[in-house]
Amino acid sequence: MNSNWYAIQKGEILFIPNYGVHYFDIREGTETIAILIGENYLDTLKNMLRLNKICFPVLMQEKDKNRRAIEFLLQWSNDKPNCNKIQHQGFSNLFLGELYKEYGLVKEVQSKPNNAVIDAMQYIQQNLEHEITVEAVAGRTGYSKNHFAKLFHETVGQTFRDYVNSQRVEMVREMLENDPQKTIVDIAFASGFDSMATFYRAYEKRFGKPPRQNAGGGEDC
């Protein structure tokens, strides 16, 4: 999009808010669903919100928030050959309505800031176990701390700190699933959290409940 490249993982959603030529590189052994939603399918949402433009965050990476929207999308994809116009509109409303409920809308930004935010998100993913500050990441992008923090929030739909913590919490959960003998405490600190209080707040904010340790060491979500 606008000469940008995006890497998405299982359970993530990429929203491209324009119509043009796009290239998809689908890795072997994976399945990607791409759906083109015409402007007329956005009319219901636009009319309800009294808006001329609908723009979701470009990358929607919170898998729990995406789960129901993806279920609607899969059902839509499976039923597409037999759907009439009214049914297509219905699936569109279900899919977009779920995204709106979970993420809300963000202000559309130009491609250069988008690049800066995407670069920052990739840096965060690669350095979760290390200290990550908004000052340091802003410096990498060439923006001031306050300007970058505002831009990040507008693009992603989360504050910089909330995004970092949510990604660390996902890392903790994956590590616990892969190595259930390790304790939550050990993995939380290995994932970059500086205190257990911060971890528990981030976990509960992300999943709506605190983690529980099983007798075998693993996590019961």
Side-chain angles (χ1 to χ4, degrees):
M1 185 178 78
N2 296 328
S3 300
N4 295 337
W5 286 90
Y6 301 90
I8 60 174
Q9 306 297 322
K10 180 180 179 181
E12 298 179 350
I13 295 173
L14 173 69
F15 180 76
I16 302 175
N18 60 54
Y19 297 92
V21 178
H22 304 289
Y23 172 75
F24 298 92
D25 181 13
I26 302 175
R27 300 301 172 90
E28 184 178 353
T30 64
E31 180 181 5
T32 300
I33 296 177
I35 184 165
L36 178 66
I37 301 179
E39 287 285 354
N40 57 306
Y41 285 94
L42 299 174
D43 287 345
T44 300
L45 191 54
K46 287 191 291 188
N47 290 337
M48 288 180 62
L49 300 175
R50 298 181 181 179
L51 296 173
N52 293 322
K53 182 73 175 178
I54 297 296
C55 193
F56 295 105
V58 175
L59 278 176
M60 289 172 272
Q61 297 180 300
E62 297 196 43
K63 297 174 185 178
D64 280 0
K65 288 186 175 183
N66 293 345
R67 186 169 290 116
R68 189 162 173 78
I70 290 175
E71 288 174 359
F72 290 139
L73 186 59
L74 289 171
Q75 186 178 352
W76 190 2
S77 178
N78 290 333
D79 293 350
K80 185 177 179 181
N82 301 316
C83 283
N84 57 41
K85 185 175 181 180
I86 295 175
Q87 289 171 315
H88 280 307
Q89 182 68 65
F91 276 120
S92 174
N93 290 343
L94 288 169
F95 175 64
L96 296 172
E98 192 67 24
L99 295 184
Y100 176 70
K101 182 184 78 174
E102 296 293 353
Y103 290 95
L105 301 175
V106 298
K107 185 168 67 175
E108 187 175 17
V109 295
Q110 300 303 312
S111 60
K112 182 179 177 182
N114 249 354
N115 280 333
V117 172
I118 298 303
D119 288 345
M121 293 170 76
Q122 292 173 342
Y123 174 82
I124 291 168
Q125 291 293 328
Q126 295 165 2
N127 293 276
L128 287 172
E129 68 274 22
H130 304 300
E131 181 182 10
I132 302 174
T133 65
V134 66
E135 293 90 347
V137 177
R140 290 172 53 86
T141 67
Y143 292 102
S144 69
K145 170 189 171 183
N146 290 338
H147 180 77
F148 173 76
K150 182 173 182 290
L151 180 62
F152 190 94
H153 193 188
E154 289 176 344
T155 304
V156 179
Q158 290 180 281
T159 67
F160 180 86
R161 180 51 49 194
D162 282 349
Y163 177 80
V164 171
N165 284 340
S166 71
Q167 297 308 298
R168 282 176 170 157
V169 163
E170 288 283 359
M171 184 179 180
V172 168
R173 191 158 78 161
E174 289 180 10
M175 290 174 71
L176 283 168
E177 289 175 354
N178 293 329
D179 193 351
Q181 297 307 312
K182 286 191 175 181
T183 67
I184 291 177
V185 174
D186 290 340
I187 291 181
F189 282 112
S191 301
F193 285 101
D194 56 7
S195 75
M196 290 305 295
T198 301
F199 164 70
Y200 280 114
R201 282 196 301 270
Y203 191 99
E204 194 157 2
K205 184 171 185 177
R206 175 72 179 81
F207 298 114
K209 59 182 180 180
R212 290 187 299 157
Q213 189 84 35
N214 288 331
E219 178 196 17
D220 178 10
C221 297

